Each structure stands twice: as C-alpha cells, then as structure tokens.
C-alpha cells in the first residue's frame, strides 16, 4: 500500500456568532461556542422551528440509517437536507457495502470470522485508527444490516468474486466480503421518488443492472457469460415493466429503501434546508440553526445532533487549504452539495478534524460536464498508464485509491510529472470492451477530443506528440510492456499478482487476464486526473461516534458519521463499499448511543 498524500496544518477558521433562539412561547439560552466567538451584542435571535429528541443533518446513507435507528428506538427525529433531493452521494453510487461477517455473506457461504476480519482491517488501516473504533465497526456492522433489513424494504446480495482490495494480507478474502442492495420498486415511495438524487451513471433504459453485472457487461462483445448477463439484465427490465414497476438498483435502491423506512417510521425530512450552525449550551450541542427553504430558525435537539452531511469535495477553499495541489472541485463525483458545512460547524463547536488531506480517490477522466471515475477501463488487458515522461509508474489494476496516492506522491517532487497521467489503449481494445457507456467499435464523442480529455493517433509517435510526452520514451515503454504482456508477467509493477487485480479483466486473455499488448492502430490516450468519490476527512469521533475535541474530550450531544467524520479506514480502503459500510454503521452506532443514554 502506498503512503498518503501530504498533510497540511489547518489554518484557523473564524467562529460564527453565538445563537440565541426564542419564540413567544419560550426562549433558548444563549449559545455557548468556543473561544473566539462573537461578543454578546452580536448575538441574534432566531425563531424556534421545532423540537425533537434527535436532529440528523444529511439524508445520505449515514444520515438516513441514523434517523431510522433513532426512530425505531422510540425517539422523535428530524432529518434536514441541504439539497432539493435526498440520498446524497450514496444515491449516486454503485452502493457496494463492505461489512465483514454480515448475515448475507455468511448465508452465501463466505468463510469469514470475527478474527479474520479484525486481523485484515488492522493490517489495512494500521495503527492510525484506534483499535476500539475498528472493533466498533466490525461488531456493529452486522447488527446494523440486520436492523435495516428488519425496518425497511431493503434486501441485499453478495457481490461474489469482488475481492477485498488487499486479499493477500492476513485475513483478506479473495472472493470478497462486499454486498449491494437488491432490486426495489420505486413505486413504494409514491411522489417522493421524484426527489431521489439521480444516479451518477444511469442504468441503460429497459434494463435492471446490479453493480456486480458491470464486470460482465464490459465483456459482452467477447464473452459468452457477458452476453448472458446482458440478456439477464434486459429480462429483469422487461419483467419489471410488465409488472408496472419502477426498478431501482445500486445507490438508487439503497437511498429509496432507507427513505421508505423513514416514511414508515414517520420521520420528517426537510429538503432545501441547509445547516447554518450548531447551537451549544453549557458546552453541549443542543440543536441546529437551519435555513428551511429560506426561513432561518432553530431546531432544538433534546438528546443530540448527528452530522451526516458528507464531505467537502465541492468546497474549493477547503480543498486548497487541506489538500495537495493540483486539486479542485471539478474532478469529484460526490454530490454537488457536499461543501463541508457539517465539518465546519463541528469545528466551530470545538471538534478536532483529521484525514482532511485525503479522499476516496480514483483515477478519473475529466470529460466535459462531469468526470468519469475509471474502474474497468484502466484494468482491462490492452491498456497502460504513463506519466509526463512517457513511462509507466504504477500497477494500473491496483485499488483505485492507491493509484491516485502514487500519482500525488510522485508528482510532489516535480509538479506536472504525474498529474495528469495518460491511459493508453489501442483499437483492438476498443473493438472488444465497453468504455464508460460507449459500446465497442463505436467512436468516442467529438466533445471528448475537443475538451482534451481524449486523443487519437495512428502511430505511437504521433500519439506522444498529441499528449506532450517524449516519443522515444513512449516507444520504449510500449515496447517493454508489450513484450511482458505476451509473456503474461509484469515484473515492473506486478499487475495481475492478486485476485483483486483480476476482477475487472478479461478471463479469455491468457496467461494473464490483466495484460495484452498495445499494437493495433489507431491508438487512444485519455487524460487521467486524481478524481474522487468524496473526501474522507472530517470530525474526529470515538467508538461511540461522539465528536471529540483536540484534547480527546467528548462534545456532549454531537455525533458524526459518514464523510463528515474522519474515516475508520484511515488512509486506506479495505474493499468495495468501505465508504458506505462504515457510514451506515456509525450512523447506527450514534443513534443507539443517544437512545441508550
């Protein structure tokens, strides 16, 4: 595993004014914020918009799981959401969920044990993440899943064969531990379905596609199994249409299922209602200031506030402050509303922040309109990634977060040497494999070329000229790579040495399904930048999801989960769904801690 991106010390951020909230019926005490707050004469009054046991900030996987748990534990709950839609980044995602020892994988015969999982997670994340937080995740993850299935229409499928990302580490499982939501009929939400945040990549019309299917859809032109999976996806879509259903899978199913659970539990969800600040009294968080559809006021939280508002991937100032350059907001596929509001509010309330320099990275192509997060494209045989010198520098099939960590590490000493990088493939590759949503043999959109995200040439030297790398170096790189590909070995970067490397590959290619020569013109190059699924730094929490100050003391009444909190995965990534699995789990943990108090 590679080291993390460089760290920067956070500059102080100004505290917001203290809040005094009141109505004719009653007055909240003056809010008490950390040192550096506004003077007493700056305190303003706000109307009281409501009072609940728990206020949850954010309607993604963490927030809705927390709200569902709190409601089913008998607490009154309100969810506030900044966006005009619910679901956050989870709704946009493939919704893989990494949860060791859960009932779904055990029923499927996965040979997992608590000891294997603990050994593996410790090996992946290292000592930086406290052992009690790791243990809390592993112990509560299976319980959370059982609870969600008992209190919502959600059911889940084992993603068989989707290896843990480091299967060769102690406790790693080559066949994987990840699950994904089963198909849900969107009609269960009635009119609320229109307010579901759209998917990052819509499923092809008339088909029902699970995340695990994409591995085979990529190979439909060259694989009998790929063709069969395509037919199965179409058959599912046809059956759903005949039944009058609105079939949802992946992140759409996860968000819809959790929302349906909240509806059944009678939990209100305010859309277009961003968090403005946290209210504190006597050092405890007792509510939120919210801008409800343009009307600002206070919502009192008698027992606690759970921040599940996502990361700061779309906050340019925060990314510039905390993360290595080059960085920006335009390369992220996280929900556009994720601008760090909950993280900043937590900091103003005195919370410590960690992992702010890191993200759930992935090599991405900056296509016009929206970046494309590469999974299979960089792993399929017949492609490689080169830097500005025209040379390889990484195992292209490695876990996506690691590839970007390497890009940043190597770019640090010579800016522009590895960012952007270039994914190079040939026409043979294009004739065989799906690329994003472009079918094999079909041309790429002109807009890709016009934006500089793609280039095409009939010779290696001409392609080198198009992307600005030394022609001789690119020839040497391709020549060496091709010779190794014919032999099925990669002594330079060990592509194909682990089960994970082979997940998004072509099993018909032998002796190494990751490797094939690049030799049939024309040749294509795609710009690769450090994209992400969201940031992974935020409020530091303990094993009970309680927010902590820099001295380790607990901020009473304040909890955090998901990308608003510092990730239990540390600087690494255990397997597919290492974002959503812990997000849901610590949302569940937070709500139970409040209910148990």
């Amino acid at each position: 595993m590679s080291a993390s991106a460089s760290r920067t010390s956070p500059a102080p951020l100004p505290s917001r004014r203290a809040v005094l909230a009141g109505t004719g019926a009653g007055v909240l005490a003056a809010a008490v914020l950390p040192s550096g707050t506004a003077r007493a004469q700056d305190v303003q009054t706000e109307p009281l918009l409501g009072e609940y046991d728990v206020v949850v900030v954010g309607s993604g996987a963490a927030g809705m799981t927390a709200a569902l748990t709190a409601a089913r534990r008998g607490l009154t709950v309100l969810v506030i959401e900044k966006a005009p839609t619910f679901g956050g980044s989870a709704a946009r995602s493939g919704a893989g969920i990494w949860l060791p020892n859960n009932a779904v994988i055990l029923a499927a015969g996965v040979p997992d044990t608590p000891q294997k999982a603990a050994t593996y997670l410790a090996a992946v994340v290292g000592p930086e993440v406290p052992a009690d937080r790791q243990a809390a995740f592993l112990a509560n993850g299976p319980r959370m899943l059982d609870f969600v299935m008992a209190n919502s229409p959600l059911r889940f499928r084992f993603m068989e064969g989707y290896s843990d990302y480091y299967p060769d580490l102690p406790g790693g499982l080559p066949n994987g531990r990840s699950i994904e939501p089963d198909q849900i009929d969107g009609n269960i939400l009635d009119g609320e379905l229109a307010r579901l945040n759209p998917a990052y990549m819509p499923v092809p019309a008339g088909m029902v596609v699970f995340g695990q299917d994409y591995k085979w859809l990529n190979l439909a032109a060259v694989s009998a199994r790929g063709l069969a999976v395509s037919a199965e996806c179409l058959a599912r879509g046809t059956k759903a249409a005949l039944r009058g259903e609105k079939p949802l899978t992946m992140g759409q199913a996860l968000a819809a299922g959790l929302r349906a659970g909240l509806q059944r539990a009678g939990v209100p969800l305010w859309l277009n209602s961003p968090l403005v600040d946290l209210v504190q009294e006597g050092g405890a968080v007792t509510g939120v200031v919210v801008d409800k559809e343009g009307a600002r006021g206070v919502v009192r939280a008698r027992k606690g506030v759970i921040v599940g508002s996502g990361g700061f991937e779309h906050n340019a100032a925060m990314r510039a402050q905390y993360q290595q350059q080059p960085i920006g907001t335009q390369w992220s596929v996280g929900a556009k509303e994720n601008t760090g509001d909950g993280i900043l509010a937590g900091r103003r309330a005195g919370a410590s922040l960690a992992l702010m320099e890191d993200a759930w990275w992935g090599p991405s192509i900056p296509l016009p309109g929206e970046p494309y997060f590469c999974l299979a494209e960089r792993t399929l045989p017949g492609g490689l990634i080169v830097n500005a010198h025209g040379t390889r520098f990484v195992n292209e099939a490695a876990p996506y977060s690691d590839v970007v960590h390497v890009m940043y590490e190597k770019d640090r000493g010579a800016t522009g040497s590895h960012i952007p990088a270039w994914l190079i493939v040939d026409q043979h590759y294009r004739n065989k494999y799906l690329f994003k949503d472009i079918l094999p043999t079909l041309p790429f959109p002109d807009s890709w070329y016009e934006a500089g995200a793609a280039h095409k040439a009939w010779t290696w030297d001409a392609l080198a000229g198009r992307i600005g790398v030394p022609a001789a170096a690119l020839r040497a790189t391709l020549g060496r790579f091709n010779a190794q590909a014919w032999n099925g070995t990669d002594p330079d970067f060990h592509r194909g040495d682990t089960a994970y490397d082979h997940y998004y590959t072509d099993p018909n290619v032998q002796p190494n399904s990751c490797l094939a020569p690049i030799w049939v013109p024309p040749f294509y190059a795609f710009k690769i930048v450090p994209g992400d699924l969201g940031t992974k730094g935020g409020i530091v929490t303990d094993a009970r999801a309680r927010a902590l100050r820099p001295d380790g003391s607990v901020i009473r009444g304040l909890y955090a989960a998901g990308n608003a909190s510092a990730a239990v995965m540390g600087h690494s990534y255990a397997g597919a769904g290492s974002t959503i699995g812990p997000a849901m789990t610590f949302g569940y943990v937070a709500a139970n801690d409040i209910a148990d108090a």
Side-chain angles (χ1 to χ4, degrees), residues 165-332:
Y165 286 177
Y166 306 99
D168 292 347
L169 287 179
L173 296 183
N175 207 32
R177 292 176 162 101
S178 300
I179 60 174
E180 64 173 315
D182 210 337
Q183 181 178 335
I184 276 184
D185 180 7
N187 287 317
I188 61 174
L189 291 179
D190 296 322
E192 193 70 3
L193 181 61
R195 289 178 278 276
L196 173 61
N197 200 20
Y200 158 57
M201 280 189 63
V203 170
M207 302 181 80
V208 173
V209 181
F210 295 109
Q212 192 178 19
D213 294 332
Y214 277 105
K215 165 186 171 66
W216 296 106
L217 294 179
N218 290 322
L219 306 174
V222 295
S223 162
R225 183 170 178 183
L227 189 61
V229 168
S230 298
E232 184 178 353
C233 292
L234 183 59
R236 289 191 208 116
T238 301
K239 290 177 182 178
L242 291 173
R243 292 192 296 259
E245 296 179 355
K246 296 177 180 176
L248 303 174
T249 57
M250 297 181 281
Q252 296 286 280
L254 179 63
L258 288 171
R259 183 70 184 97
L262 294 185
Q263 287 179 317
R264 294 174 183 178
V267 176
L269 193 163
W270 293 356
L271 299 176
N272 296 299
S273 300
L275 171 73
V276 176
D277 217 334
L278 297 168
V279 176
Q280 282 186 284
E281 300 174 84
V285 171
T286 59
V288 299
V289 181
V290 60
D291 191 347
K292 183 187 180 187
E293 298 182 332
R296 181 170 298 192
V298 168
V299 178
R300 185 84 183 247
R302 289 183 289 263
K303 295 182 179 293
V305 173
I306 303 173
V307 177
S309 53
F312 60 93
E313 55 267 23
H314 290 287
N315 184 320
M318 291 182 73
R319 298 207 83 152
Q321 177 184 359
Y322 290 107
Q323 299 188 322
Q324 182 180 333
Q325 298 299 316
I327 196 62
T329 61
Q330 71 278 14
W331 295 339
S332 178

Side-chain angles (χ1 to χ4, degrees), residues 545-560:
R546 300 177 300 178
L548 302 178
R549 297 184 180 90
D551 64 3
S553 62
V554 172
I555 302 176
R556 288 183 294 117
L558 182 60
Y559 295 77

Side-chain angles (χ1 to χ4, degrees), residues 426-428 457-459 519-523:
D426 68 355
Q427 190 59 43
H428 185 61
W458 287 88
T459 67
W519 59 283
V520 177
F523 305 99

Side-chain angles (χ1 to χ4, degrees), residues 102-473:
N102 71 73
V104 175
I105 65 172
L106 295 179
V110 175
D112 203 4
T113 67
Q115 183 56 51
K116 280 184 185 178
T119 299
Y120 176 68
L121 185 61
V124 170
V125 306
E128 186 171 15
V129 177
D132 62 341
R133 283 195 73 213
Q134 297 180 44
F137 166 60
L138 295 175
N140 286 285
R143 299 169 191 162
M144 177 277 295
L145 195 73
D146 290 345
F147 169 85
V148 166
M149 289 192 290
N151 292 279
S152 80
L154 281 165
R155 298 295 179 267
F156 297 89
R157 303 157 53 99
F158 173 44
M159 301 178 75
E160 183 176 3
Y162 206 146
S163 171
D164 284 343
Y165 286 177
Y166 306 99
D168 292 347
L169 287 179
L173 296 183
N175 207 32
R177 292 176 162 101
S178 300
I179 60 174
E180 64 173 315
D182 210 337
Q183 181 178 335
I184 276 184
D185 180 7
N187 287 317
I188 61 174
L189 291 179
D190 296 322
E192 193 70 3
L193 181 61
R195 289 178 278 276
L196 173 61
N197 200 20
Y200 158 57
M201 280 189 63
V203 170
M207 302 181 80
V208 173
V209 181
F210 295 109
Q212 192 178 19
D213 294 332
Y214 277 105
K215 165 186 171 66
W216 296 106
L217 294 179
N218 290 322
L219 306 174
V222 295
S223 162
R225 183 170 178 183
L227 189 61
V229 168
S230 298
E232 184 178 353
C233 292
L234 183 59
R236 289 191 208 116
T238 301
K239 290 177 182 178
L242 291 173
R243 292 192 296 259
E245 296 179 355
K246 296 177 180 176
L248 303 174
T249 57
M250 297 181 281
Q252 296 286 280
L254 179 63
L258 288 171
R259 183 70 184 97
L262 294 185
Q263 287 179 317
R264 294 174 183 178
V267 176
L269 193 163
W270 293 356
L271 299 176
N272 296 299
S273 300
L275 171 73
V276 176
D277 217 334
L278 297 168
V279 176
Q280 282 186 284
E281 300 174 84
V285 171
T286 59
V288 299
V289 181
V290 60
D291 191 347
K292 183 187 180 187
E293 298 182 332
R296 181 170 298 192
V298 168
V299 178
R300 185 84 183 247
R302 289 183 289 263
K303 295 182 179 293
V305 173
I306 303 173
V307 177
S309 53
F312 60 93
E313 55 267 23
H314 290 287
N315 184 320
M318 291 182 73
R319 298 207 83 152
Q321 177 184 359
Y322 290 107
Q323 299 188 322
Q324 182 180 333
Q325 298 299 316
I327 196 62
T329 61
Q330 71 278 14
W331 295 339
S332 178
V333 299
K336 64 181 182 297
E337 292 83 6
N338 290 351
T339 55
D341 303 0
I343 297 170
L344 294 175
R347 180 172 175 172
R348 289 191 294 269
S352 179
L353 307 182
L355 298 176
M356 297 293 282
E357 71 277 20
D358 214 341
W360 303 101
W361 303 114
S364 300
I365 303 172
L367 298 178
E370 188 170 48
Y372 177 63
F373 193 95
C374 287
L375 289 173
E377 291 80 6
R378 64 188 169 83
T379 302
L380 286 163
L384 57 74
I385 295 177
V386 299
N387 58 20
H389 306 299
T391 60
R392 288 180 75 209
F393 61 92
V394 71
N395 169 10
E396 295 87 351
Y400 33 89
S401 189
D402 280 0
V403 174
V404 173
H405 279 146
V406 172
M407 290 173 69
Y408 271 125
E409 287 163 7
K410 293 183 177 292
D411 203 69
R412 192 169 300 140
T415 301
S417 61
H418 290 76
I419 302 173
W422 298 94
L423 169 64
I424 295 175
V425 304
D426 68 355
Q427 190 59 43
H428 185 61
Y429 173 108
R430 277 299 301 131
N431 290 342
K432 297 172 69 177
Y433 307 127
L434 187 73
F435 196 102
K436 190 179 180 285
D437 54 357
I438 309 297
L439 294 173
T441 75
L442 295 184
F444 295 117
D446 291 342
S447 61
W448 292 16
Y449 298 106
E450 293 163 0
H455 297 269
K456 176 181 176 181
W458 287 88
T459 67
W460 292 351
D461 285 7
L463 190 68
R466 296 279 175 84
I467 62 177
V469 306

Side-chain angles (χ1 to χ4, degrees), residues 67-84:
L68 182 63
T69 306
R72 290 305 184 187
R73 289 294 308 273
L75 304 177
T76 59
V77 187
L78 170 69
V79 180
I80 62 170
E81 169 58 56
K82 177 182 184 180

